[in-house]
């Protein structure tokens, strides 16, 4: 059998449809020592897909599948919610081959009143809009048989429905030539063992040791309708999504959440990812000696800690419930983090965080202010006992929010798409973090950004950006109109030299700006132009002439009106010291 190695995040800019007649899987080798375990959401829209959707174009050539009625309504019978373990692969045109292996997939099994078994969740990474119930017919002994049948469908931008089916697939590998061939098996029926109470298991010939691909696997297939001049004839082809080593067990785990009577408060969590500071507002609840943290909003469960004097202790391996976004159940794992240097690409060395699971994470705790901090981490993981993370929080600090002037972190430019005549636009993909350079939380409604083109501020005019109500030189954070978002924008021409971004924040009435990040469209080089804010700290108070009621500490930070001690106030445009007892 063939061994495989994978990189979870490999940008292979390749076609989405690879036909069964050719080799379907590239060998991808992860750089040594790198923790390649951050997951990619199944349904993320890529920049090209955004282009195509906004320009009213079809995203890709799609199959003209003959519709066969799938089972959408839940069949009558006894239902079991299950943890599903399986090995597998799935292909994404942007990231290449990804590891579909998990011990925390979601599967629902129904023992039907008609004597059949019905399964939902057998092809979870197909990216379909609707997943059908797949019928398994009872056979001899514990065996059940899944005939080739519809597994679900997706709807394209024009309303066309494209249906996928589930079938058994044959995997062939020639040791001498290293040639691979994956195709729909001559007998496409899938056999599984059903042990009762929702428990399924692969038959022996569909099992393999870790890293092996067995000769028979199962996955989704699509119908290809040949047209005149096509290289391939009409028929079913594999969908680059394969599973084996399936087993299930009953999900009887419970997640933590505060009681219905608990008071839920909002606090700010500041944390690090590699060398980047991040912050966000989260829900927190205190009940007796328990603390509940809503660190991850895509699951119903909360991370629970217990107060022990001046410490808060969070235990490892807390179940969080099901995550629709990633299609797995999630756990919270406590860990330590080591930031390491990846030198696998000598021209582009980079740092990454390597997490190691621990028994617990301990926070320092101030009972008066309820501030919590730790140098350790909490990972949100799609595996029960391993790091395969959807998110993580390292060097955590949690406290109540106090608005202060803050210099926003520099925007990050991810990618530049050259002007394309077929789209009649160019595209800049970027990331703006609602966090200050020192980890401060920034109120989104006070955050904005400016765009520069060929060294000059760019004005977004209603003549070109028709959804705007007025011409804008400064774009409010969160803007979502045609051609302008808070993570990408379209230009309807090709700049001659460069594009630039600068983030602006007006916390406590003081305007602060990030450095300007430039991207040279000719060389692909990204540079940072430093920006000096003149309204920093105490000097910034003089900008607040219109509000004489504002009070500040000696560092220029805004404090409550009833604060005591040596304070600063703005009187008639002058900064004065006052003492309040």
């Amino acid at each position: 059998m063939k061994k495989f190695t994978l990189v979870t995040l490999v940008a292979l800019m390749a076609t989405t449809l690879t036909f069964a007649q050719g080799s379907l899987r590239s060998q991808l080798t992860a750089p040594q020592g790198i923790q390649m375990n951050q997951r990619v959401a199944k349904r993320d829209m890529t920049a090209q897909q955004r282009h195509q959707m906004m320009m009213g174009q079809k995203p890709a050539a799609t199959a003209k599948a003959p519709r066969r009625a799938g089972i959408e309504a839940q069949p009558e019978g006894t239902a079991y919610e299950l943890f599903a373990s399986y090995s597998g692969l799935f292909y994404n045109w942007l990231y290449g081959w990804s590891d579909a292996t998990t011990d925390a997939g979601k599967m629902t099994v129904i023992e039907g009143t008609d004597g059949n078994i019905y399964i939902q969740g057998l092809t979870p990474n197909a990216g379909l809009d609707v997943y059908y119930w797949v019928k398994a017919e009872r056979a001899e002994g514990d065996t059940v048989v899944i005939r080739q049948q519809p597994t679900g469908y997706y709807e394209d931008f024009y309303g066309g429905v494209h249906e996928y089916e589930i079938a058994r697939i044959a995997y062939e590998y020639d040791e001498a030539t290293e040639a691979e061939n994956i195709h729909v098996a001559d007998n496409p029926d899938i056999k599984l063992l059903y042990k009762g109470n929702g428990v399924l298991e692969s038959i022996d010939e569909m099992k393999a040791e870790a890293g092996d691909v067995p000769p028979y696997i199962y996955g989704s297939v699509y119908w290809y309708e040949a047209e005149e001049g096509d290289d391939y004839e009409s028929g079913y082809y594999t969908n680059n999504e394969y599973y084996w080593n399936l087993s299930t067990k009953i999900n009887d785990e419970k997640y933590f959440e505060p009681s219905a009577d608990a008071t839920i408060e909002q606090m700010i969590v500041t944390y690090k990812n590699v060398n980047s500071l991040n912050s966000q507002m989260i829900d927190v609840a205190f009940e007796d000696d328990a603390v509940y943290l809503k660190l991850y909003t895509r699951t119903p469960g909360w991370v629970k800690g217990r107060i022990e004097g001046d410490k808060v202790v969070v235990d490892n391996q807390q179940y969080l419930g099901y995550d629709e976004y990633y299609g797995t159940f999630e756990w919270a794992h406590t860990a330590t983090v080591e930031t390491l240097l990846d030198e696998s690409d000598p021209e582009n060395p980079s740092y990454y965080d390597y997490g190691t699971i621990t028994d617990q994470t301990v926070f320092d705790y101030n009972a008066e202010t309820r501030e919590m901090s730790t140098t350790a981490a909490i990972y949100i993981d799609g595996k029960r006992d391993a790091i395969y993370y959807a998110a993580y929080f390292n060097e955590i600090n949690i406290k109540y929010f106090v608005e202060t002037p803050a210099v926003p972190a520099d925007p990050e430019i991810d990618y530049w798409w050259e002007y394309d005549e077929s789209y009649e636009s160019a595209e800049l993909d970027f990331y703006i973090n609602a966090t200050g350079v020192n980890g401060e939380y920034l109120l989104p409604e006070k955050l904005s950004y400016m765009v520069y083109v060929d060294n000059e501020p760019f004005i977004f005019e209603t003549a070109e950006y028709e959804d705007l109500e007025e011409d804008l030189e400064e774009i409010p954070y969160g803007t979502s109109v045609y051609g302008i978002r808070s993570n990408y924008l379209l230009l309807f021409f090709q700049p001659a030299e460069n594009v630039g971004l600068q983030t602006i924040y007006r916390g406590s009435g003081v305007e602060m700006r990030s450095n300007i990040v430039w991207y040279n469209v000719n060389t692909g080089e990204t540079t940072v132009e430093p920006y000096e804010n003149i309204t920093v700290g105490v000097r910034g108070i003089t900008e607040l002439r219109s509000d004489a009621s504002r009070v500040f500490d000696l560092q220029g930070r805004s404090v409550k009106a009833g604060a005591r001690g040596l304070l600063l106030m703005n009187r008639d445009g002058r900064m004065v010291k006052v003492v309040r007892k």
Side-chain angles (χ1 to χ4, degrees):
M1 289 183 285
K2 182 64 182 290
K3 294 277 186 180
F4 68 88
T5 52
L6 295 170
V7 170
T8 302
L9 304 178
V10 178
L12 296 182
M13 309 304 284
T15 179
T16 54
L17 299 181
T18 306
F19 296 101
Q21 285 85 343
S23 175
L24 295 188
R25 181 159 53 83
S26 301
Q27 286 297 105
L28 308 176
T29 305
Q32 292 298 313
I34 294 185
Q35 188 164 303
M36 304 300 283
N37 51 8
Q38 184 173 13
R39 283 172 287 153
V40 182
K42 298 177 297 186
R43 301 298 301 279
D44 281 350
M45 183 174 288
T46 64
Q48 270 195 351
Q49 290 168 327
R50 286 199 304 265
H51 257 316
Q52 292 160 332
M53 181 182 70
M54 290 188 300
M55 303 309 293
Q57 297 173 347
K58 196 173 182 179
T62 52
K64 298 177 181 178
R67 287 300 305 275
R68 294 206 293 161
I71 305 171
E72 292 195 51
Q74 180 171 318
E76 293 183 1
T78 304
Y80 300 92
E81 185 179 83
L82 308 161
F83 288 128
S85 299
Y86 48 76
S87 300
L89 301 169
F90 74 96
Y91 189 87
N92 177 290
W93 80 270
L94 181 62
Y95 299 109
W97 282 101
S98 296
D99 186 355
T101 300
T102 185
D103 61 2
K106 180 182 180 181
M107 194 169 293
T108 304
V109 169
I110 293 178
E111 289 183 354
T113 55
D114 61 359
N116 295 309
I117 305 300
Y118 295 90
I119 309 167
Q120 192 174 57
L122 274 170
T123 56
N125 293 290
L128 304 179
D129 295 322
V130 172
Y131 287 91
Y132 296 141
W133 292 91
V134 172
K135 182 171 74 172
E137 302 171 14
R138 290 187 183 271
E140 184 178 352
D142 294 337
T143 304
V144 293
V145 178
I146 299 172
R147 315 291 181 191
Q148 183 173 343
Q149 60 189 281
T151 188
Y153 67 86
Y154 77 91
E155 186 174 337
D156 65 28
F157 299 132
Y158 294 96
V161 174
H162 304 271
E163 196 167 63
Y164 283 76
E165 302 200 357
I166 185 169
R168 184 168 178 167
I169 297 163
Y171 173 81
E172 297 167 355
Y173 176 69
D174 189 312
E175 294 281 355
T177 64
E178 297 186 349
E180 296 174 291
N181 187 20
I182 305 177
H183 56 88
V184 180
D186 293 337
N187 179 3
D189 292 348
I190 299 165
K191 293 182 179 180
L192 297 171
L193 299 178
Y194 184 65
K195 302 294 188 178
N197 298 322
V199 176
L200 291 163
E201 185 179 323
S202 293
I203 60 176
D204 288 342
E205 64 191 76
M206 294 180 69
K207 294 180 180 179
E209 296 181 3
D212 284 336
V213 181
Y216 291 100
I217 56 186
Y218 69 88
S220 52
V221 299
Y222 61 92
W223 176 266
Y224 179 75
E225 182 71 31
E227 298 180 358
E228 186 176 353
D230 286 355
D231 294 331
Y232 302 97
E233 61 184 17
S234 297
Y236 283 100
Y237 293 85
T238 64
N239 185 42
N240 296 345
E241 181 194 8
Y242 316 116
Y243 299 95
W244 60 94
N245 285 6
L246 171 69
S247 63
T248 64
K249 71 176 186 177
I250 296 294
N251 176 10
D252 55 5
E253 295 209 34
K254 305 296 182 184
Y255 51 76
F256 294 119
E257 58 183 335
S259 71
D261 298 329
T263 299
I264 297 175
E265 306 179 73
Q266 288 196 316
M267 300 180 75
I268 302 302
V269 57
T270 301
Y271 59 96
K272 286 181 69 176
N273 286 160
V274 190
N275 295 316
S276 172
L277 281 170
N278 305 275
S279 62
Q280 64 190 62
M281 193 170 285
I282 63 169
D283 289 338
V284 180
F286 294 88
E287 287 192 282
D288 300 324
D289 63 348
V291 180
Y292 297 88
L293 308 173
K294 199 70 170 88
L295 286 174
Y296 192 70
T297 60
R298 294 191 175 114
T299 56
W302 298 53
V303 176
K304 182 181 179 181
R306 61 184 179 275
I307 299 172
E308 298 181 357
D310 63 351
K311 306 292 181 184
V312 169
V313 180
V314 176
D315 290 327
N316 181 47
Q317 204 178 72
Q318 296 188 26
Y319 177 64
L320 297 179
Y322 186 64
D323 182 349
E324 290 279 357
Y325 190 67
Y326 285 110
T328 61
F329 296 95
E330 305 286 1
W331 281 262
H333 286 311
T334 57
T336 56
V337 174
E338 186 179 6
T339 301
L340 304 174
L341 178 62
D342 170 25
E343 298 182 281
S344 59
D345 182 357
E347 296 184 0
N348 297 289
S350 60
Y351 288 91
Y352 64 98
D353 282 346
Y354 190 90
T356 302
I357 292 176
T358 58
D359 291 336
Q360 56 188 210
T361 285
V362 179
F363 289 80
D364 292 327
Y365 177 63
N366 185 317
E368 183 177 350
T369 65
R370 289 183 165 174
E371 183 172 350
M372 294 168 269
S373 61
T374 180
T375 57
I378 294 175
Y379 278 77
I380 309 301
D381 291 302
K383 290 203 174 191
R384 186 182 289 100
D385 56 4
I387 289 178
Y388 186 62
Y389 62 89
Y392 72 103
F393 305 82
N394 184 33
E395 297 188 19
I396 306 169
N397 181 266
I398 300 172
K399 62 183 178 181
Y400 290 109
F401 174 64
V402 178
E403 184 183 358
T404 60
V407 178
D410 291 349
E412 300 175 21
I413 294 178
D414 291 332
Y415 201 82
W416 168 254
W417 299 84
E418 297 284 342
Y419 181 83
D420 189 312
E421 291 185 0
S422 62
Y423 300 135
E424 297 182 341
S425 65
E427 179 176 322
L428 181 69
D429 294 349
F430 57 90
Y431 176 69
I432 292 177
N433 190 357
T435 302
V437 293
N438 296 315
E440 304 95 332
Y441 176 74
L442 307 185
L443 292 168
E445 64 269 22
K446 297 188 177 184
L447 191 64
S448 60
Y449 67 90
M450 281 188 65
V451 179
Y452 298 84
V453 177
D454 295 332
N455 300 302
E456 297 291 338
F458 183 75
I459 299 176
F460 292 83
E461 299 178 348
T462 57
E464 288 190 307
Y465 300 88
E466 298 177 355
D467 292 340
L468 293 179
E469 296 181 357
E470 59 180 339
D471 293 352
L472 291 178
E473 184 176 32
E474 191 175 314
I475 305 299
Y477 182 76
T479 295
S480 181
V481 299
Y482 172 74
I484 305 173
R485 301 288 194 277
S486 289
N487 64 334
Y488 75 95
L489 57 90
L490 301 182
L491 296 176
F492 303 112
F493 62 94
Q494 175 71 16
E497 183 178 350
N498 56 38
V499 292
L501 286 175
Q502 182 180 43
T503 309
I504 305 166
Y505 184 62
R506 296 182 176 88
S508 296
V510 179
E511 179 180 298
M512 299 287 194
R513 296 185 176 228
S514 72
N515 299 317
I516 302 175
V517 179
W518 293 99
Y519 179 85
N520 188 303
V521 300
N522 298 311
T523 66
E525 182 182 11
T526 300
T527 57
V528 176
E529 177 185 338
Y531 182 86
E532 182 180 359
N533 289 284
I534 60 171
T535 55
V536 176
V538 173
R539 295 164 61 194
I541 298 174
T542 59
E543 301 294 314
L544 302 173
R545 300 173 186 270
S546 61
D547 189 356
S549 65
R550 300 293 296 276
V551 183
F552 305 84
D553 64 15
L554 294 181
Q555 284 72 46
R557 297 174 296 195
S558 179
V559 298
K560 295 181 179 179
R564 305 295 178 183
L566 183 58
L567 304 169
L568 302 172
M569 295 185 68
N570 186 320
R571 289 183 179 170
D572 300 323
R574 296 183 301 109
M575 181 183 65
V576 298
K577 293 181 181 179
V578 296
V579 178
R580 287 183 174 175
K581 297 182 178 180

